[in-house]
Amino acid sequence: MNGIIDISWEGLAVSTVFVLLAGVTSLTLRLGLEKDLLWGALRTVAQLYLMGFVLRYVFGFDAWYLVCSVYVIMIALAAVIVKGRVKRPLVRFVAPVFFSMLLSYLVVTMLVTSVIVRVKPWYDPVYFIPLGGMVIGNSISAVALALERLFEELRLRRDEIELRLCLGASAAQASATVFRSAVRAGMIPSISSMMGVGIVWIPGMMTGQILAGASPLAAVKYQIVVMFMLVGATTVSTVMMVTLVRRKCFTDDERLIRR
Amino acid sequence: MIEVRSVTFSYGECPVLTDVSFAVHRGDFAVLRGESGSGKSTLLRLMCKLETPTTGCVFYEGIPYDEIPPRLLRRKAALLQQSPVMVEETVRDNLLLSFRFARSKMKSIEDRELRALLTRARLDHALLLKHAGELSMGQKQRIAFLRLLLMDPEVFLLDEPVSGLDEESTDALIGWLVELNTLGKTVFLVSHTASGLIPPGARLFRLENGHVMEEK
C-alpha cells in the first residue's frame, strides 16, 4: 500500500468551483438557495476539519477507557439526534434509547474488533471508532422509525389495546402486535440495505479503502462485516429499546397512558 | 359490590366527573342514563380500571382498586366497550380471545357450544369461521357481548350494548341479561336512550353535570 494521494490546497480550492456553480445557478434562476449553499459549504469545511482534528487526537489514545468514553459520547449525541427526529412522542425516551444503543453497539463493536478483525489491542481507536461510528450513523434513522411506529400505533390502536386489557391481557400481551410492528420498522432498513449494497452504490467505506490502496476484495470483506454487524446491532438495540419504551407507555396498573 | 366514593375525574384540564358517589350491589340490575358526552363511558372506564380517579376511590367488595391486581379486577368487573373491536381474523378466535390471556387453564370450548351461543344471540351459527372484519356493526356488537360472556365475569359493565341492534335483538339481549342477573350476575348498563332497556326491578341512575344520582 502506498497510501492515499494527499489533495493539495490548490486542488481543494478548485473544488469550490462546484459550489460556486450551484450558487450562480441559484442566482440566475432565482432559486433563493445562495445563503443555504454558503452556510452549508462553510459548515462542511468546519465540521469535517473539526472531526479531523478530534480523530487525530483520539487516534493517539492507547487506553481502552478513553476510546470507550469517546464512543459513549458519540452514542449520546446519536440519542439526542433521535430525539429530534421522532414526532409526537408519548413518553420521554432518550435514556432508554441511549442505554439500548450503548449496550448493543458496544458489545457488537467489541466482538467485531476482537474476534473478527482481530485488531490488537481490540480497542485500537483507528479501528474501533470508525467501525462503531458506522453502526451508529447507519442506525439512527432505523431507531427513530421504530419509535415513531411504536408511538403512532399505540395511539391509533388504543381501542384494540384496551379491548385486550378488558379481557384480562397484560400490558405486554395487549400491545404485542404494536411491539412487533415497531421492531419490524426498525429492522427493515438494515435488511433492505443488504439487498441494495454493491448493485447501485459502492459503499463509502469501500470507496475509502480502495482509494487508500486496499485491494477491492479486502475492502469487500470489511464491507460484509459492517453490513452484518449493522443488522445484528440494530436488531438487539431495537428490541431492547422498544421493550423499555413500551413499558413506559403503560402505568404500573397496566393502563395505556394518555398524552 | 362496586362502590364509587367521592370520585372526581378530569381529562387534563377538562373536568368530567365531580364528586361522584354511588354503589352497585351484588345482584343488581342497574341502568345509568345521561346525555352523550356526560361522562358515562368515563365512569365505566374508571369502574374497570382503564382510568384512575383524579381524587376519590373505587372499591370492589370493600377493597380499594389500588390493591387489586388490574388483570384480576378486569376479569371480574368486565367492560363491554361502546364500539365493538375485532382483533383476530375469525369470529371463533375473537370469541375465545380472553382464554388466550388466562394464566392457568386453556379452557377448551367446543365449536358446538360456540355455535349454540351464536344462535342464542340471534346470529347465524355459520358465522363462526367467517372473517370478523366482514360483519355488520350489530353482528360485531353481539360477538363482543358473547366474548365478554365467555370470560364469565361477576359484573357486566356495558357501554351502550344495544346501540347497533334492532328492536327484536335488543329485546333478546336484555332478556338474556335479565336471565344472567337472576343467576347472580351483576349488570351495570349505560345508555343515552334507555327506553325499552329497563326491566322491572332495575335500579336507575342518572348522570348529569358530572354528578350521579339515583332515580326513584
Side-chain angles (χ1 to χ4, degrees):
Chain A
M1 278 201 269
N2 306 317
I4 199 161
I5 304 170
D6 193 15
I7 296 178
S8 65
W9 292 107
E10 298 82 30
L12 195 59
V14 172
S15 73
T16 56
V17 166
F18 299 123
V19 181
L20 285 175
L21 176 76
V24 171
T25 309
S26 170
L27 281 173
T28 43
L29 296 179
R30 284 184 291 173
L31 305 176
L33 290 172
E34 315 84 61
K35 268 191 190 162
D36 288 344
L37 264 169
L38 182 66
W39 183 230
L42 288 175
R43 279 187 64 160
T44 301
V45 174
Q47 285 168 197
L48 286 177
Y49 259 101
L50 183 69
M51 184 190 222
F53 284 118
V54 169
L55 282 179
R56 198 167 66 167
Y57 181 64
V58 167
F59 284 176
F61 289 171
D62 56 359
W64 67 268
Y65 52 88
L66 288 177
V67 177
C68 285
S69 308
V70 173
Y71 196 51
V72 170
I73 294 169
M74 288 165 72
I75 292 174
L77 290 174
V80 173
I81 294 174
V82 170
K83 181 177 180 238
R85 294 248 187 115
V86 178
K87 291 167 204 84
R88 304 186 68 208
L90 262 176
V91 291
R92 293 207 282 205
F93 56 81
V94 175
V97 166
F98 172 72
F99 180 70
S100 323
M101 281 180 157
L102 183 67
L103 206 70
S104 59
Y105 295 0
L106 213 51
V107 170
V108 169
T109 310
M110 278 160 71
L111 264 173
V112 167
T113 55
S114 62
V115 177
I116 297 172
V117 184
R118 294 192 197 164
V119 190
K120 284 197 177 88
W122 61 266
Y123 54 83
D124 183 349
V126 175
Y127 286 83
F128 197 90
I129 297 295
L131 284 171
M134 204 133 26
V135 177
I136 302 178
N138 284 305
S139 66
I140 285 180
S141 60
V143 166
L145 270 176
L147 283 173
E148 222 166 60
R149 178 71 60 87
L150 176 71
F151 294 140
E152 189 188 316
E153 298 233 338
L154 285 177
R155 224 177 243 116
L156 291 176
R157 295 173 179 250
R158 173 176 281 276
D159 281 353
E160 276 179 42
I161 292 166
E162 290 189 335
L163 163 73
R164 294 195 184 91
L165 291 175
C166 286
L167 293 173
S170 66
Q173 286 171 326
S175 57
T177 50
V178 173
F179 177 86
R180 276 201 296 275
S181 163
V183 171
R184 274 177 63 92
M187 285 177 63
I188 284 172
S190 62
I191 297 173
S192 335
S193 70
M194 287 202 295
M195 310 285 182
V197 71
I199 296 179
V200 271
W201 44 277
I202 304 179
M205 184 193 196
M206 273 182 71
T207 313
Q209 285 185 310
I210 293 168
L211 287 180
S215 91
L217 292 179
V220 161
K221 286 193 219 155
Y222 268 92
Q223 192 60 44
I224 291 174
V225 169
V226 165
M227 304 297 291
F228 288 0
M229 79 190 270
L230 189 63
V231 172
T234 47
T235 304
V236 177
S237 67
T238 333
V239 169
M240 273 178 67
M241 175 187 77
V242 174
T243 307
L244 294 174
V245 176
R246 175 179 69 167
R247 193 174 298 167
K248 290 186 79 175
C249 295
F250 287 88
T251 59
D252 288 342
D253 55 359
E254 298 184 299
R255 288 178 292 118
L256 179 57
I257 65 156
R258 211 178 269 282
R259 177 69 45 95
Chain B
M1 187 113 204
I2 295 183
E3 188 193 349
V4 176
R5 199 185 290 168
S6 312
V7 162
T8 301
F9 184 84
S10 16
Y11 283 118
E13 296 287 293
C14 179
V16 183
L17 301 170
T18 43
D19 196 22
V20 168
S21 294
F22 71 98
V24 180
H25 308 300
R26 182 180 284 276
D28 271 355
F29 193 115
V31 178
L32 175 77
R33 293 188 286 180
E35 306 277 310
S36 25
S38 58
K40 302 185 300 294
S41 296
T42 304
L43 189 59
L44 284 181
R45 290 170 61 85
L46 283 161
M47 291 167 81
C48 73
K49 218 179 180 182
L50 282 180
E51 309 282 356
T52 51
T54 313
T55 60
C57 194
V58 190
F59 298 84
Y60 191 84
E61 299 194 307
I63 305 166
Y65 270 25
D66 289 348
E67 292 170 20
I68 308 171
R71 285 174 234 172
L72 181 69
L73 181 85
R74 293 185 189 125
R75 286 179 169 275
K76 285 180 181 286
L79 172 70
L80 181 71
Q81 293 163 304
Q82 188 168 356
S83 54
V85 184
M86 300 289 129
V87 291
E88 302 292 324
E89 283 235 326
T90 63
V91 169
R92 184 175 178 278
D93 288 346
N94 274 289
L95 287 173
L96 296 174
L97 194 56
S98 68
F99 298 109
R100 276 189 32 196
F101 305 135
R103 195 170 296 165
S104 50
K105 76 272 157 158
M106 177 74 186
K107 203 163 131 190
S108 72
I109 295 219
E110 300 206 2
D111 283 1
R112 187 169 38 84
E113 297 172 64
L114 294 177
R115 288 206 177 87
L117 280 175
L118 288 174
T119 312
R120 169 92 207 254
R122 300 167 49 81
L123 290 165
D124 184 352
H125 61 76
L127 285 183
L128 192 62
L129 300 173
K130 279 264 169 60
H131 198 286
E134 295 165 6
L135 303 181
S136 76
M137 205 55 166
Q139 288 173 318
K140 282 183 188 170
Q141 205 151 18
R142 279 169 282 176
I143 301 290
F145 170 71
L146 294 178
R147 180 168 61 189
L148 204 71
L149 184 73
L150 282 162
M151 193 166 70
D152 194 28
E154 291 179 1
V155 184
F156 286 81
L157 303 169
L158 309 168
D159 196 353
E160 308 275 1
V162 297
S163 58
L165 303 186
D166 59 35
E167 207 171 310
E168 283 172 46
S169 299
T170 299
D171 291 346
L173 182 66
I174 295 298
W176 199 343
L177 286 171
V178 169
E179 188 188 316
L180 286 165
N181 185 231
T182 56
L183 292 170
K185 301 291 183 190
T186 307
V187 178
F188 186 75
L189 187 156
V190 152
S191 177
H192 64 283
T193 55
S195 53
L197 302 185
I198 308 164
R203 292 177 70 198
L204 289 182
F205 294 94
R206 171 162 281 282
L207 178 55
E208 223 169 55
N209 304 321
H211 297 286
V212 172
M213 52 218 126
E214 183 157 12
E215 297 175 288
K216 298 294 174 202

